[in-house]
Amino acid sequence: MQPAPTDPRRPNKVQRYKAIDPNNAVALASDDPMPEYMNVLGMIFSMLGLMMRMKWCAWAALLCSCISFANTRSFDDTKQIVSSFMLSISAVVMSYLQNPAPIVPPWAAFN
């Protein structure tokens, strides 16, 4: 048998747990702006998908809405998130109702 390896723990790297003040936790949790950015991008892509009939914009809106929904906190406004999600779904549905052909990738258009 080989000798026991040395202790890999490093006591100088240990950080003690400090409880977070619940009153300040909301302010710390709301510092992440990504759900708001994704919500705005979803709205923009939804409008482009609906107005310009761009299918890839409608799919990007759905993706942004899903990311925004996944990254929201429990205390955020759910009506705005659900309306953004429904707008992106309607952009996808309307773009395919107007033109049911699949999306043609740019590299396949030259064949």
Side-chain angles (χ1 to χ4, degrees):
M1 288 189 73
Q2 296 180 354
T6 60
D7 191 7
R9 295 178 288 185
R10 295 176 284 180
N12 59 341
K13 297 287 184 180
V14 174
Q15 294 182 358
R16 287 284 186 201
Y17 173 74
K18 295 175 187 167
I20 299 173
D21 182 22
N23 296 330
N24 196 17
V26 173
L28 291 174
S30 65
D31 287 344
D32 186 21
M34 188 158 97
E36 288 84 15
Y37 289 156
M38 286 296 147
N39 199 5
V40 170
L41 274 175
M43 293 283 189
I44 292 170
F45 280 138
S46 294
M47 287 298 139
L48 285 174
L50 283 171
M51 301 293 183
M52 306 299 245
R53 297 179 183 148
M54 302 169 111
K55 292 179 185 175
W56 66 270
C57 282
W59 283 108
L62 189 61
L63 178 69
C64 289
S65 294
C66 289
I67 292 171
S68 175
F69 176 70
N71 287 319
T72 54
R73 305 282 187 241
S74 61
F75 53 83
D76 285 344
D77 185 25
T78 56
K79 288 181 184 178
Q80 184 178 6
I81 297 162
V82 170
S83 66
S84 172
F85 196 68
M86 289 299 154
L87 182 64
S88 63
I89 289 175
S90 66
V92 171
V93 169
M94 291 305 291
S95 66
Y96 278 95
L97 281 177
Q98 292 170 356
N99 183 10
I103 298 175
V104 179
W107 58 87
F110 297 110
N111 289 337

